[in-house]
Amino acid sequence: MLQNMLTGMLAAVAYGVIGVAMMALGYVLVDLATPGKLRDLIWVSRNPNAALLLVSGLLGVGIILTTAIMGSANDLIAGLIGTLAYGILGLVLMSLSFLLIDAVTPGKLGDELASPDMHPATWVSATTHVVIAVIIAASIW
């Protein structure tokens, strides 16, 4: 029993490291999409647009990683590789959706995200992140 618990804890640590790394990468990608420093926009300026986009990306990554972990069929190495691969895929697709929305709509989406007033385009982009995550999760399952 102790051996199973230690193995499970080791797996949790390994998956946790991947989760933190994927969330950090997601943070960097949102930071690149917004003019200015994301930390200042959210924590100093209390910008709701930047916060919503970051939250949607973190939720999306969480949905994808949780599904990949649950679908790993008790094979730790394959599970870790799959979780990492699906996490990266999700971040890439979320970033591409941001660029696509920016390309087909008027103005610059990044500028709207830096605006202190809530902008509907942020909701569109945030929803796209969550939908992409759910689609990837469904494809894993």
Side-chain angles (χ1 to χ4, degrees):
M1 181 168 130
L2 185 60
Q3 179 66 29
N4 287 343
M5 185 176 79
L6 289 175
T7 302
M9 289 177 67
L10 230 154
V13 168
Y15 282 119
V17 167
I18 289 174
V20 169
M22 291 295 98
M23 287 187 292
L25 181 56
Y27 181 94
V28 168
L29 292 172
V30 174
D31 193 22
L32 291 173
T34 54
K37 293 281 184 200
L38 184 59
R39 67 179 287 280
D40 291 340
L41 285 171
I42 295 174
W43 282 273
V44 176
S45 301
R46 298 176 183 262
N47 182 298
N49 294 301
L52 178 58
L53 191 67
L54 180 60
V55 166
S56 69
L58 295 175
L59 279 171
V61 167
I63 290 166
I64 293 166
L65 297 183
T66 301
T67 306
I69 292 166
M70 291 174 61
S72 65
N74 296 327
D75 183 346
L76 181 59
I77 300 302
L80 292 170
I81 293 168
T83 300
L84 183 63
Y86 283 116
I88 291 170
L89 175 64
L91 289 171
V92 167
L93 291 177
M94 287 180 219
S95 298
L96 289 175
S97 75
F98 181 88
L99 295 174
L100 181 61
I101 291 168
D102 190 34
V104 299
T105 56
K108 289 293 290 171
L109 189 53
D111 292 340
E112 299 302 340
L113 295 174
S115 169
D117 299 319
M118 196 64 191
H119 195 284
T122 307
W123 285 100
V124 172
S125 190
T127 301
T128 304
H129 288 168
V130 175
V131 170
I132 287 169
V134 171
I135 290 169
I136 292 172
S139 75
I140 294 168
W141 200 250

